[in-house]
């Protein structure tokens, strides 16, 4: 395939990775542990939207020129709310207990792996092992100058990523909540002393991270099939993007996601596509060797 | 999912021969998992190194032993080496390969935050599976390596072989247990615990902590490689998809958390208890009501995730807690409270002691 065409596909993959990584880096920066259930939260988001358009049969007509049905708008809202509540609930039941006990953050990382296994099993139990789709609608590509192809769905995905990135920017830098989140990430004890209810901030962080990863999951599934292990495969690229951008730095994570996505897809210009999954890993290792604090600095 | 014991059905189990066969196979499998969990104890239990890619080391050991012991590739297969060496050499090669992989993974990650190593190791497992299933002329791709030689070939005939296999695996487990117990009780092992509990203090005492961590990580990786080699000759054929994260990483992790990290007897006990649950549930599949019976494989997966969370929350030290006495030269005064006492304390709301510092 043409190199520029591959870069467009990469931009798309990068948008999904970047959106997911923005949530991952926020929870990493504030909770101080790597959340290994982030990938399976993504899968849950995909399937919650499917619950609306598939299981409940609320798909409605196709929104031409997009392939997706009208009902997916309700689906994505439902998915974002559902995953946000789940993430906050898990924090209440599991991580908060560990925090109060003064557990090492690494213990929370192990607990998050347990949560990941439970989530994946629960998704399989609810929706079965077979792959699913949001719609069978066709989505003819637009032809750009230079014989490049881009589908309307793909334009929507890239656009939505930009909108959500701007929204997150406004929350982080134009609201009191965002200021409190940054303070908590910087030094939770000091934030506590300054009168910030850090437990509330943590809940808000989980909800934002959950909503973002759910939207990322739905956006991925618009393009591909829903599979119970699809989200887990995004875990490594999202971690690579998080570390590339600097832990706790959402803009870094978005840029990191785009870098990971574009380099992964354009790598197939030179190497067999079976090996492209190794590219995010190579980026991760190179970053750990050279700049473990990320390109744009980390809140740690 | 490679369920070693899956082919057996309940009807078969009713007969005495069936029961014996199942038990011998079960004990062999648990012994292999026991070796893996002991290796994880060296890395996590004693040193605090979080390895979420256990299956990668196991897989490298299995493939290395296959490549060393199988005859050269013929027209229908494509793999490198094929040296037809004795199985013992294959096992040694598996251990070396696991150790070398640990060295390679440890170099960029062991001086950084502990979660970075966990992230990297999850990646290593995924990459190795991809390479094994799609690289040409390496390890026969998705078709896998088949017809691995049996232990003591020709010396025993068919029906006795399972006993030989079980005996050899148990002896290997015992040797690994003695090795791990010896090194973790040694002065070297005490440094590992010191690093785990408070790295800054260990550094202040003049210990090169990164080097110690690397040594523990490589030792653990080598033992995992050995376990993979033992597994490969036990099952006779291996393929990339057999080495799933669930089977090779998450299941052993549950065994370690349940058994008690930092306690070698706990590691083996965890392998036995969780293993009995994991490999035993398919046996009762037909007795379960409809939908539960159909989905028993997914339910048991849910259950091991739940076990990890429940143990971390309410029994963070596992069934057998770590011995507080770090040397046999110390007086026997400090004994940890027994399991029932710890459970009682938990439900009366007294906070369980937890590992801090790392």
């Amino acid at each position: 395939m043409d190199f520029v065409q591959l870069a467009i596909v990469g931009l798309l993959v990068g948008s999904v990775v970047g959106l997911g990584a923005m949530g991952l880096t926020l929870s990493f920066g504030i909770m101080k542990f790597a959340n290994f259930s982030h990938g399976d939260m993504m899968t849950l988001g995909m399937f919650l939207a499917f619950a609306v358009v598939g299981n409940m049969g609320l798909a409605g007509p196709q929104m031409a020129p997009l392939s997706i049905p009208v009902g997916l708008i309700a689906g994505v809202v439902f998915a974002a709310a559902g995953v946000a509540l789940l993430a906050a609930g898990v924090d209440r039941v599991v991580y908060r207990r560990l925090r109060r006990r003064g557990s090492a953050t690494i213990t929370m990382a192990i607990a998050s792996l347990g949560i990941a296994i439970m989530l994946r099993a629960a998704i399989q139990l609810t929706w079965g092992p077979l792959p699913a789709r949001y719609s069978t609608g066709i989505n003819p590509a637009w032809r750009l100058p230079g014989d490049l192809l881009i589908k309307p769905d793909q334009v929507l995905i890239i656009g939505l990523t930009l909108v959500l990135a701007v929204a997150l920017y406004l929350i982080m830098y134009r609201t009191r909540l965002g200021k409190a989140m940054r303070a908590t990430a910087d030094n939770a004890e000091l934030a506590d002393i300054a009168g910030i209810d850090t437990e509330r901030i943590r809940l808000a962080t989980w909800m934002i991270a959950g909503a973002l990863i759910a939207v990322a999951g739905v956006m991925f599934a618009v393009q591909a099939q829903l599979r119970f292990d699809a989200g887990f495969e995004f875990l490594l690229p999202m971690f690579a993007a998080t570390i590339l951008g600097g832990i706790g730095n959402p803009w870094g994570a978005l840029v990191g996601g785009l870098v990971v996505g574009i380099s992964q897809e354009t790598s197939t210009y030179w190497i067999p596509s079976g090996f492209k999954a190794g590219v995010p890993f190579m980026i991760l290792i190179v970053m750990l060797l050279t700049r473990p604090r990320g390109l744009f600095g980390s809140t740690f | 999912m490679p369920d070693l014991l899956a082919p057996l059905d309940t009807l078969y189990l009713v007969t005495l021969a069936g029961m014996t066969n199942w038990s011998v196979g079960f004990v062999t499998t648990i012994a292999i998992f026991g070796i893996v969990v002991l290796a994880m104890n060296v890395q996590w239990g004693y040193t605090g190194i979080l390895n979420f890619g256990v299956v990668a080391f196991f897989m490298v050991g299995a493939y290395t032993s296959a490549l060393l012991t199988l005859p050269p590739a013929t027209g229908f297969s494509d793999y490198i080496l094929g040296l037809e060496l004795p199985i013992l050499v294959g096992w040694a090669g598996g251990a070396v390969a696991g150790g070398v992989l640990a060295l390679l993974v440890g170099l960029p990650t062991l001086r950084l935050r502990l979660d970075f190593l966990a992230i990297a190791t999850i990646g290593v497992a995924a990459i190795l599976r991809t390479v094994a299933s799609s690289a040409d002329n390496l390890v026969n791709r998705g078709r896998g390596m088949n017809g691995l030689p049996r232990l003591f070939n020709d010396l025993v005939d068919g029906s006795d072989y399972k006993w030989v296999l079980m005996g050899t695996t148990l002896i290997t487990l015992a040797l690994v247990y003695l090795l791990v117990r010896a090194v973790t009780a040694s002065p070297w092992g005490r440094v590992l615990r010191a690093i785990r509990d408070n790295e800054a203090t260990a550094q202040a005492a003049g210990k090169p902590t990164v080097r110690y961590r690397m040594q523990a990580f490589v030792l653990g990786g080598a033992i995992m490689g050995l376990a993979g080699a033992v597994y490969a000759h036990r099952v006779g054929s291996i393929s990339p998809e057999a080495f799933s994260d669930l089977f090779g990483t998450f299941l052993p992790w549950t065994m370690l958390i349940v058994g008690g990290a930092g306690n070698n007897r706990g590691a083996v006990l965890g392998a036995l208890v969780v293993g009995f649950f994991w490999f035993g549930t398919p046996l009762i599949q037909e007795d379960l009501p409809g939908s539960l019976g159909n989905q028993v494989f997914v339910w048991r997966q849910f259950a091991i995730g739940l076990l990890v969370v429940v143990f971390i929350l309410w029994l963070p030290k596992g069934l057998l807690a770590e011995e507080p006495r770090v040397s046999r030269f110390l007086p026997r005064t400090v004994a940890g409270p027994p399991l029932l006492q710890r459970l009682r304390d938990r439900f009366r709301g007294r906070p369980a002691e937890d590992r801090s510092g790392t």
Side-chain angles (χ1 to χ4, degrees), chain A:
Chain A
M1 229 194 306
D2 184 40
F3 188 80
V4 185
Q5 185 68 52
L6 287 173
I8 291 179
V9 178
L11 189 65
L12 198 80
V13 175
S15 298
V16 175
V17 173
L19 199 54
M22 280 198 286
L24 184 60
T25 204
L26 273 185
S27 65
F28 206 157
I30 290 176
M31 255 52 78
K32 308 291 180 208
F33 72 89
N35 174 21
F36 286 92
S37 65
H38 205 64
D40 295 287
M41 283 161 60
M42 180 174 181
T43 318
L44 181 67
M46 298 176 196
F47 277 97
L48 284 179
F50 181 76
V52 174
V53 298
N55 303 112
M56 300 182 204
L58 301 176
Q62 182 185 344
M63 293 188 291
L66 303 169
S67 76
I68 55 175
V70 181
L72 199 62
I73 298 173
V76 74
V77 172
F78 181 68
V83 179
L85 286 177
L86 175 102
V90 170
D91 185 75
R92 270 289 150 94
V93 177
V94 181
Y95 305 130
R96 190 174 66 167
R97 264 174 224 263
L98 294 172
R99 272 199 300 277
R100 293 221 167 133
R101 194 193 290 169
S103 290
T105 52
I106 204 82
T107 309
M108 300 183 204
I110 300 178
S112 78
L113 188 71
I115 301 286
I117 302 169
M118 287 168 73
L119 262 179
R120 203 177 322 164
I123 289 166
Q124 257 179 291
L125 288 170
T126 313
W127 284 283
L130 296 175
R133 274 190 172 284
Y134 288 144
S135 75
T136 48
I138 48 157
N139 189 219
W142 286 327
R143 195 168 289 274
L144 303 181
D147 254 2
L148 298 172
L149 298 173
I150 191 162
K151 291 180 178 178
D153 283 355
Q154 299 172 331
V155 177
L156 173 81
I157 289 169
I158 295 166
L160 193 59
T161 301
L162 290 177
V163 169
L164 287 173
V166 171
L168 185 62
Y169 177 84
L170 293 176
I171 291 176
M172 292 292 284
Y173 289 95
R174 294 286 184 276
T175 66
R176 287 180 66 85
L177 172 68
K179 206 178 207 172
M181 280 170 70
R182 287 182 286 134
T184 310
D186 202 37
N187 188 331
E189 280 176 23
L190 205 57
D192 238 345
I193 293 166
I196 294 171
D197 183 352
T198 48
E199 281 303 324
R200 241 193 71 230
I201 298 306
R202 292 196 176 95
L203 279 188
T205 307
W206 279 119
M207 296 185 81
I208 292 173
L212 285 172
I213 191 64
V215 177
V218 177
M219 292 190 335
F220 166 75
V222 162
Q223 282 282 302
Q225 284 183 328
L226 293 87
R227 282 196 335 267
F228 69 90
D229 55 355
F232 188 70
E233 285 165 13
F234 269 90
L235 193 60
L236 191 70
M238 289 193 293
F239 271 127
T242 298
I243 289 168
L244 193 71
I247 293 167
N249 182 339
W251 329 117
L254 180 62
V255 174
L258 294 174
V259 171
V260 166
I262 291 172
S263 38
Q264 175 180 308
E265 294 306 319
T266 52
S267 73
T268 60
Y269 197 71
W270 296 283
I271 61 173
S273 63
F275 294 108
K276 72 178 177 186
V279 173
F281 181 73
M282 292 317 294
I283 294 176
L284 180 77
I285 294 296
V286 169
M287 285 306 293
L288 291 182
L289 279 171
T290 55
R291 283 185 69 98
R293 291 179 63 81
L295 291 179
F296 311 107
S298 135
T299 58
F300 277 141

Side-chain angles (χ1 to χ4, degrees), chain B residues 283-304:
Chain B
L283 297 176
I284 55 160
Q285 187 176 7
E286 286 183 5
D287 301 328
L288 296 170
S291 65
L292 187 64
N294 294 336
Q295 296 182 314
V296 70
F297 290 94
V298 192
W299 273 112
R300 68 174 182 175
Q301 183 184 336
F302 185 85
I304 64 158

